[in-house]
């Protein structure tokens, strides 16, 4: 891939900055002050960090992995045969920018400057396209981020409940004022990221359920799209093995052999 997506790099920096601050605010200002002598402190820190680790794991796979780049041709293509090729296989199209044939549902990304198989969109938050090979990881990133935000908000609520029970009637000190500021910032961060990823997840889920847009000239493609069940559509993205593998970022999603796309 070529080119530098400045917006994507800024989004990555913002994302990891928010993650670092969230970790700091939750542990230093929410858990340690009121739960340091309790076993619950270790439980909350462990659960929160496990959820966060899975979110970052999935994000790394989606961000730095191959989204499904269509290989460039090894030899120059004779474009005089384009019409003949398309008549033989109308599902395949040609990309004038990449100067190569591309399989069904592949699209050219102007940011990556390459064609991506089953491309959904280019996401600045992963600084990469969401395509055939990384859509599963992108879905996992959205889910684990939402769970992390929800659990972090729950810990904040429990933390303030414990402090109110211990310091009822105590004047608002400078320390508690600072703690309140960190609480507001942390909850706003959780709210914004949580709602954002849930909206994107629902959109992605709808995209997976409906599948890529079929070729209107191909009745077989339209029939296949209508006949697919929701579970079958999810298996196309998340894999056809055991269902628990859908939640593990280390398991590669199913995809066609790369050699079948070589021109």
């Amino acid at each position: 891939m070529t080119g530098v997506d400045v917006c994507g790099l800024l989004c990555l920096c913002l994302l990891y900055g928010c993650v670092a601050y969230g970790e700091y605010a939750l542990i230093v200002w929410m858990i340690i002050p009121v739960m340091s002598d309790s076993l619950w402190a270790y439980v909350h820190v462990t659960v929160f960090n496990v959820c966060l680790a899975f979110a970052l794991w999935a994000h790394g796979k989606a961000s730095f992995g191959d989204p499904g780049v269509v290989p460039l041709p090894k030899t120059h293509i004779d474009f005089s045969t384009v019409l003949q090729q398309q008549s033989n296989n109308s599902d395949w199209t040609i990309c004038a920018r990449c100067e190569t044939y591309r399989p069904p549902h592949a699209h050219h990304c102007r940011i990556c400057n390459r064609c991506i198989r089953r491309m959904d969109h280019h996401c600045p938050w992963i600084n990469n396209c969401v395509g055939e090979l990384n859509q599963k990881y992108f879905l996992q990133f959205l889910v684990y981020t939402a769970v992390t935000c929800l659990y972090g908000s729950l810990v904040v609520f429990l933390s303030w409940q414990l402090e109110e029970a211990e310091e009822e009637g105590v004047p608002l000190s400078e320390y508690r004022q600072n703690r309140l500021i960190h609480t507001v910032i942390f909850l706003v961060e959780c709210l914004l990221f949580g709602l954002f990823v849930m909206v994107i997840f629902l959109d992605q889920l709808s995209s997976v359920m409906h599948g890529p847009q079929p070729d209107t000239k191909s009745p077989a493609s339209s029939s296949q799209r209508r006949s697919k069940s929701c579970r079958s559509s999810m298996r196309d993205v998340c894999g056809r093995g055991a269902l628990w593998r859908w939640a593990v970022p280390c398991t590669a999603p199913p995809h066609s052999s790369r050699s079948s796309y070589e021109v």
Side-chain angles (χ1 to χ4, degrees):
M1 296 189 184
T2 60
V4 177
D5 181 15
V6 178
C7 178
L9 293 177
L10 291 177
C11 286
L12 284 182
C13 293
L14 177 61
L15 174 65
Y16 288 115
C18 289
V19 168
Y21 171 77
E23 180 83 0
Y24 161 77
L26 187 73
I27 295 178
V28 175
W29 291 94
M30 306 301 153
I31 295 179
I32 292 179
V34 296
M35 304 181 192
S36 58
D37 297 331
S38 171
L39 180 62
W40 283 108
Y42 299 97
V43 173
H44 290 315
V45 170
T46 300
V47 174
F48 179 80
N49 279 281
V50 167
C51 294
L52 185 60
F54 269 84
L56 293 177
W57 186 5
H59 180 271
K61 298 282 283 187
S63 180
F64 302 108
D66 178 14
V69 177
V70 177
L72 294 175
K74 296 180 179 179
T75 58
H76 179 71
I77 296 178
D78 182 6
F79 288 100
S80 63
T81 63
V82 169
L83 294 179
Q84 180 181 357
Q85 292 283 350
Q86 289 186 339
S87 63
N88 294 335
N89 189 347
S90 59
D91 287 337
W92 282 66
T93 58
I94 192 166
C95 178
R97 296 182 180 181
C98 293
E99 296 185 346
T100 185
Y101 293 105
R102 56 190 177 190
H105 314 305
H107 301 281
H108 186 87
C109 175
R110 61 179 180 82
I111 299 176
C112 298
N113 199 29
R114 292 293 295 275
C115 287
I116 309 296
R117 302 196 297 270
R118 294 178 65 94
M119 176 181 170
D120 186 86
H121 69 288
H122 184 95
C123 179
W125 293 102
I126 64 173
N127 195 28
N128 200 1
C129 283
V130 177
E132 181 181 82
L133 301 187
N134 69 344
Q135 189 172 24
K136 170 189 174 179
Y137 305 129
F138 185 66
L139 290 172
Q140 291 171 337
F141 164 66
L142 298 176
V143 171
Y144 285 123
T145 300
V147 172
T148 302
C149 292
L150 180 62
Y151 190 81
S153 301
L154 175 63
V155 172
V156 170
F157 174 77
L158 294 175
S159 175
W160 277 96
Q161 286 291 316
L162 290 174
E163 185 182 60
E164 290 297 330
E166 294 177 358
E167 301 186 11
E168 186 175 358
V170 177
L172 189 63
S173 63
E174 181 179 354
Y175 171 80
R176 295 188 70 195
Q177 289 178 353
N178 292 334
R179 187 167 184 264
L180 180 60
I181 292 174
H182 285 290
T183 298
V184 172
I185 296 176
F186 181 82
L187 288 179
V188 169
E189 181 180 317
C190 287
L191 179 64
L192 292 179
F193 273 96
L195 291 178
F196 178 73
V197 296
M198 284 306 300
V199 170
I200 300 299
F201 174 75
L202 292 176
D203 177 73
Q204 284 290 297
L205 199 60
S206 175
S207 175
V208 172
M209 292 298 101
H210 290 86
Q213 291 294 329
D215 185 358
T216 55
K217 298 180 181 180
S218 175
S221 177
S222 300
S223 174
Q224 182 181 10
R225 184 188 182 196
R226 288 194 300 266
S227 62
K228 269 198 171 184
S229 65
C230 294
R231 183 169 181 174
S232 177
S233 298
M234 286 298 296
R235 285 183 179 275
D236 287 344
V237 174
C238 298
R240 299 185 177 275
L243 294 182
W244 65 266
R245 294 178 180 270
W246 292 9
V248 182
C250 66
T251 305
H255 59 277
S256 302
S257 173
R258 190 178 183 88
S259 61
S260 64
Y261 292 101
E262 294 181 355
V263 180

